[in-house]
Amino acid sequence: MGFNKNNNYKPFTSKVWLSSPTMHNGAEMKYVQEAYDTNWMSTVGDNINEVEKIAAKKAGVKYAVALSCGTAALHLCVKFAGEKLYGKPEIGHGAVEGKKVFCSDMTFAATLNPVVYEGGIPVFIDTERDSWNMDPVALEKAFELYPDVKLVISAELYGFSGDIKRIKEICEEHGALLIEDAAEAMGATWDGKQCGSYGDYAAVSYNGNKIITGSAGGCLLTNDLEVANKARKWSTQARENAAWYQHEEVGYNYRMSNVIAGVIRGQYDYLEEHIAQKKAVFERYKEGLKDLPIQMNPFDEKRCVPNYWLSALIIDKDAMCKQVRSDNEALYISEKGKSCPTEILEAISSINAEGRPIWKPMHMQPMYRMNEFITVNGSARAKTNAYIAGELEDVGEDIFNRGLCLPSDNKMTAEQQDVIIEVIKRCFGK
Ligand SMILES: *Cc1c(COP(=O)(O)O)cnc(C)c1O
């Protein structure tokens, strides 16, 4: 089956990426060079200390702990929360072993992998249609069904926050701790407060495709000195204060490298510039695609200031052509005036640009097919027949079926973006 709605555009000679690293004429190299020249090629050094200061200040929290990646930060958050809630586990057991943890459903698996590392059982909370983030109403439903749950992990999708303040309130009403996965949302705000400052513990990421990058890296953010101290200790192999290697608990090699910290230190000066560029990309799509039966990432314009990390769109229900996806393939039937994510992704890829499907919801992943999934109508697993009959709203699945991420690179030119917009229009026969 061929994609044939727009073969008159030549592929870009250099690929337009979804979101790629952007370095700034030596601004980052200066700090890397310093580390090199002074032999601080280690997991100790000025760059690490500076990144921690800058990250905490930017997020408006007291402490940041620089780690090897955002996933490591989330892992230490889960471990700390688990020990605080349930006590220190026996050797060989996880900190949330056998415990249910409420998790965002439409997100990258890294949000909740650490729950599984620590033996926990993710319970997925459906997505809010107006924000694509964890639905506070579904979260309240989840607490009604499982009042003993004491830990929630919520991620901000693509740099557009939902009502994370309400999520935190609900957690407090139920005596639960909140881990905020702000990996995609650095620099975004809700009610004027930075993403990463709402959770009891939070993580940001400097992965290569994030809004700023060190090639890798992450920070744990918190106002709690005890977590910050624990995370520093655990991330450097959990050595006790003794002349020899003395150990009272298990450790990890999770500390950030001072070389990578140099890159991140230099990048922070450009965070606002990157956000402005990403916003311009979003606005251009919004304007260019305004006559199509689609909507861009939804957000509450009064309360959320996004960082616009990834521009995404969702196709109106009645403008969807038929599309079927198996575990690893997708097929669609091309139809005049209609389109689907698979067709648009093919069109984008045919001109050497990179789009991506929306994060496939966790409750649809083979690995989690037995895990509980809570929608605004209650437990989808408990109401299997109604669920299969499509009587339960499954917002995440619907957004996954109709949505896609657009090439959102901050180095894409307006001309390149115009071509991408034209190619998308042609999918709808415009
Ligand atoms: C990127 C990402 C992470 C993981 O960050 P790393 O630094 O790559 O480990 C976690 N959660 C979400 C939502 C992400 O997008």
Side-chain angles (χ1 to χ4, degrees):
M1 174 153 87
F3 166 76
N4 54 18
K5 277 186 179 167
N6 65 323
N7 35 26
N8 18 352
Y9 285 100
K10 277 215 256 12
F12 300 127
T13 41
S14 67
K15 183 160 181 165
V16 174
W17 299 97
L18 187 74
S19 182
S20 72
T22 307
M23 295 296 126
H24 299 274
N25 297 317
E28 298 84 358
M29 270 311 284
K30 182 176 79 182
Y31 298 117
V32 173
Q33 191 70 44
E34 253 173 51
Y36 182 91
D37 290 340
T38 56
N39 288 313
W40 286 99
M41 301 296 279
S42 174
T43 49
V44 188
D46 281 348
N47 288 335
I48 297 173
N49 302 337
E50 282 306 311
V51 163
E52 291 188 340
K53 276 192 210 143
I54 300 165
K57 183 153 181 274
K58 177 70 211 172
V61 298
K62 287 193 191 144
Y63 312 104
V65 181
L67 299 167
S68 55
C69 61
T71 310
L74 289 165
H75 186 187
L76 299 186
C77 291
V78 170
K79 185 178 163 85
F80 186 86
E83 292 200 357
K84 185 167 165 139
L85 292 165
Y86 309 115
K88 211 176 185 53
E90 305 267 311
I91 288 174
H93 294 265
V96 291
E97 197 162 293
K99 306 292 183 189
K100 291 189 169 64
V101 178
F102 294 152
C103 303
S104 285
D105 179 58
M106 208 172 70
T107 183
F108 185 34
T111 301
L112 52 128
N113 276 340
V115 170
V116 180
Y117 303 162
E118 290 299 323
I121 304 162
V123 168
F124 301 110
I125 309 298
D126 201 10
T127 304
E128 183 182 47
R129 207 172 273 292
D130 296 337
S131 71
W132 294 3
N133 282 239
M134 181 187 280
D135 190 328
V137 178
L139 179 62
E140 284 186 292
K141 263 274 172 318
F143 275 116
E144 274 171 35
L145 292 166
Y146 299 102
D148 294 340
V149 170
K150 292 286 168 242
L151 185 59
V152 176
I153 305 185
S154 183
E156 282 114 355
L157 199 83
Y158 304 142
F160 297 71
S161 181
D163 195 345
I164 185 72
K165 195 172 172 180
R166 181 71 199 125
I167 300 272
K168 177 71 171 109
E169 280 167 11
I170 296 169
C171 290
E172 281 169 8
E173 285 160 18
H174 294 273
L177 294 169
L178 174 65
I179 297 173
E180 183 186 2
D181 179 358
E184 301 177 0
M186 193 192 300
T189 61
W190 179 265
D191 277 357
K193 231 164 85 72
Q194 289 281 319
C195 291
S197 70
Y198 280 95
D200 294 286
Y201 326 117
V204 288
S205 166
Y206 311 100
N207 182 289
N209 70 2
K210 296 286 164 32
I211 191 118
I212 58 168
T213 185
S215 72
C219 270
L220 184 155
L221 305 174
T222 184
N223 287 315
D224 181 346
L225 180 61
E226 199 191 335
V227 194
N229 286 339
K230 270 285 184 188
R232 274 196 197 101
K233 179 186 170 193
W234 286 343
S235 67
T236 50
Q237 308 286 20
R239 291 170 60 184
E240 298 302 325
N241 192 13
W244 47 86
Y245 280 74
Q246 178 87 2
H247 296 289
E248 291 178 12
E249 51 189 350
V250 71
Y252 304 85
N253 185 3
Y254 277 178
R255 195 69 165 140
M256 183 181 281
S257 143
N258 194 48
V259 178
I260 280 175
V263 182
I264 297 167
R265 186 179 174 185
Q267 284 264 290
Y268 259 107
D269 289 336
Y270 296 89
L271 174 57
E272 298 309 320
E273 181 179 309
H274 288 192
I275 293 175
Q277 291 162 340
K278 295 272 189 182
K279 181 177 181 181
V281 166
F282 178 89
E283 300 289 350
R284 249 184 266 132
Y285 277 128
K286 195 170 174 165
E287 177 60 25
L289 301 172
K290 69 171 190 283
D291 296 328
L292 295 184
I294 63 109
Q295 286 180 337
M296 299 295 295
N297 321 47
F299 65 101
D300 182 338
E301 296 188 18
K302 291 200 192 72
R303 304 183 72 185
C304 165
V305 180
N307 71 4
Y308 299 93
W309 175 55
L310 290 189
S311 288
L313 66 76
I314 180 162
I315 302 169
D316 292 352
K317 274 194 181 124
D318 53 13
M320 278 282 291
C321 67
K322 197 167 166 59
Q323 168 192 253
V324 206
R325 283 168 167 160
S326 73
D327 275 350
N328 44 29
E329 281 181 320
L331 288 175
Y332 64 94
I333 299 174
S334 190
E335 196 178 331
K336 202 161 176 283
K338 296 187 176 185
S339 194
C340 63
T342 306
E343 183 176 53
I344 296 175
L345 289 168
E346 271 183 26
I348 289 171
S349 142
S350 79
I351 52 167
N352 199 22
E354 184 186 29
R356 189 164 69 187
I358 299 288
W359 294 128
K360 180 170 179 171
M362 290 300 127
H363 79 276
M364 296 172 69
Q365 302 287 354
M367 160 169 193
Y368 294 119
R369 69 192 173 280
M370 303 303 281
N371 287 54
E372 180 61 295
F373 170 52
I374 316 277
T375 72
V376 292
N377 305 108
S379 163
R381 304 296 193 217
K383 298 180 187 168
T384 313
N385 290 334
Y387 181 63
I388 290 168
E391 287 159 17
L392 279 183
E393 274 261 62
D394 181 340
V395 178
E397 180 174 14
D398 183 39
I399 297 170
F400 174 65
N401 285 339
R402 295 191 287 125
L404 68 127
C405 299
L406 298 164
S408 304
D409 202 60
N410 54 337
K411 297 174 295 307
M412 172 170 60
T413 65
E415 292 71 30
Q416 287 172 322
Q417 199 177 347
D418 285 342
V419 173
I420 293 167
I421 288 168
E422 276 314 307
V423 162
I424 296 170
K425 281 183 170 173
R426 295 206 173 186
C427 289
F428 291 93
K430 299 270 175 183

